[in-house]
Amino acid sequence: MDGDDLPRVRTDAASLLAKEDLDRYSQDELMERIALLEAEIARIKAQHAKAAAHRNLADQLFKPRPSE
C-alpha cells in the first residue's frame, strides 16, 4: 500500500477548531468565541463574494464571441 491510498489528515484551522474540547470554557468565553467565529465567517463570505465577482468579470472578458 503506498501513501496515496491512505486517507488525508485534515490539519486546516477549521478542522482543528472542530476537535477542540469546549468543556473548559465558561459561558462568557463561549459567547466571545461565537462572536469571533461569526466575524471570521463574515470576513470569509466577503472574500468569497469578491472572488466570485472577479471570476464573473474574467468569464465575461474571455467569453467566446458568437460566430456571425
Side-chain angles (χ1 to χ4, degrees):
M1 179 191 252
D2 62 18
D4 292 338
D5 296 334
L6 298 175
R8 290 187 181 160
V9 176
R10 303 243 354 192
T11 58
D12 58 272
S15 295
L16 295 175
L17 281 173
K19 294 177 185 176
E20 186 177 1
D21 180 19
L22 300 175
D23 289 338
R24 63 190 182 102
Y25 291 100
S26 69
Q27 288 182 338
D28 289 340
E29 289 171 327
L30 289 169
M31 293 309 294
E32 288 176 16
R33 184 180 175 107
I34 289 169
L36 288 170
L37 291 170
E38 288 174 340
E40 179 63 6
I41 290 168
R43 186 178 78 91
I44 292 168
K45 285 182 176 182
Q47 182 63 31
H48 180 269
K50 181 179 170 184
H54 185 262
R55 173 65 186 258
N56 187 38
L57 287 173
D59 287 346
Q60 293 299 315
L61 182 62
F62 295 106
K63 182 171 35 172
R65 295 178 188 201
S67 56
E68 294 180 23

